């Protein structure tokens, strides 16, 4: 292959070594939850903590801004891109599942409520349509009866 000036590709996934994360890098509620769940499962808490950070950021409305510095009054949206790398047995999924279980449960509740509300609305619309059709038909029948002259 001719030299294109870029050199050989670097396999950053295989060559990467995870640095143990410290609890003090995370908000206390996330740190305690992540470390407790990871410890109980015998996993590295990094996947749990980072998944929770990504979940919180993803669930935060874009209208909410985080004040990054009191000195500069600088605000940013709660955007965080998280990527977990590891072999298939590196316990990435348990961390993600633990992090998202609350959001998943909430989504299930609001989805069920939406489905029920939609069914009620559709039933109301069908009832209104039926009543409108009946009223139109009755009006048409009256109009037709008025045009027919009775023999006298």
């Amino acid at each position: 292959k001719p030299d294109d000036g870029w050199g050989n590709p670097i396999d950053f996934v295989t060559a990467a070594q995870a640095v143990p994360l410290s609890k003090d890098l995370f908000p206390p509620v996330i740190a305690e939850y992540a470390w407790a769940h990871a410890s109980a499962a015998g996993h590295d808490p990094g996947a749990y903590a980072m998944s929770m950070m990504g979940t919180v950021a993803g669930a935060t409305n874009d209208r909410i801004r985080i004040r990054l510095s009191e000195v500069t009054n600088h605000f940013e949206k709660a955007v965080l891109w998280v990527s977990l790398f590891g072999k298939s047995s590196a316990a990435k999924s348990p961390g993600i599942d633990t992090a998202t279980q609350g959001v998943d449960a909430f989504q299930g509740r609001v989805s069920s409520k939406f489905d029920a509300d939609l069914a009620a609305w559709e039933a109301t619309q069908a009832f209104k349509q039926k009543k409108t059709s009946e009223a139109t038909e009755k009006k048409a029948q009256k109009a037709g009866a008025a045009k027919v002259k009775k023999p006298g």
Side-chain angles (χ1 to χ4, degrees):
K1 172 178 168 183
D3 184 10
D4 58 7
W6 287 94
N8 291 326
I10 298 171
D11 182 358
F12 64 91
V13 175
T14 304
Q17 290 294 317
V19 177
L21 297 174
S22 172
K23 282 174 105 174
D24 64 345
L25 296 173
F26 299 93
V29 68
I30 288 178
E32 293 304 321
Y33 195 80
W35 262 255
H37 278 78
S39 176
H43 300 148
D44 183 316
Y48 289 73
M50 290 307 299
S51 295
M52 288 178 192
M53 293 293 290
T55 300
V56 169
T60 302
N61 189 303
D62 276 347
R63 291 177 290 179
I64 295 174
R65 303 285 192 254
I66 299 170
R67 187 177 193 179
L68 299 180
S69 170
E70 291 182 32
V71 176
T72 63
N73 256 355
H74 183 72
F75 291 82
E76 287 289 342
K77 293 179 184 178
V79 175
L80 178 65
W81 292 82
V82 176
S83 185
L84 302 177
F85 290 93
K87 294 180 182 177
S88 61
S89 61
K92 298 176 299 294
S93 294
I96 295 168
D97 293 344
T98 298
T100 59
Q101 67 186 358
V103 173
D104 291 343
F106 176 76
Q107 177 64 27
R109 287 191 305 273
V110 297
S111 180
S112 294
K113 182 179 179 336
F114 173 81
D115 291 344
D117 290 349
L118 178 60
W121 180 83
E122 287 173 339
T124 301
Q125 296 306 308
F127 178 78
K128 286 179 181 179
Q129 180 64 36
K130 180 180 177 191
K131 289 298 181 186
T132 301
S133 294
E134 288 173 355
T136 303
E137 186 178 316
K138 193 172 185 180
K139 200 176 201 181
Q141 286 174 350
K142 278 185 180 181
K147 289 181 182 178
V148 175
K149 293 185 180 182
K150 295 182 183 178

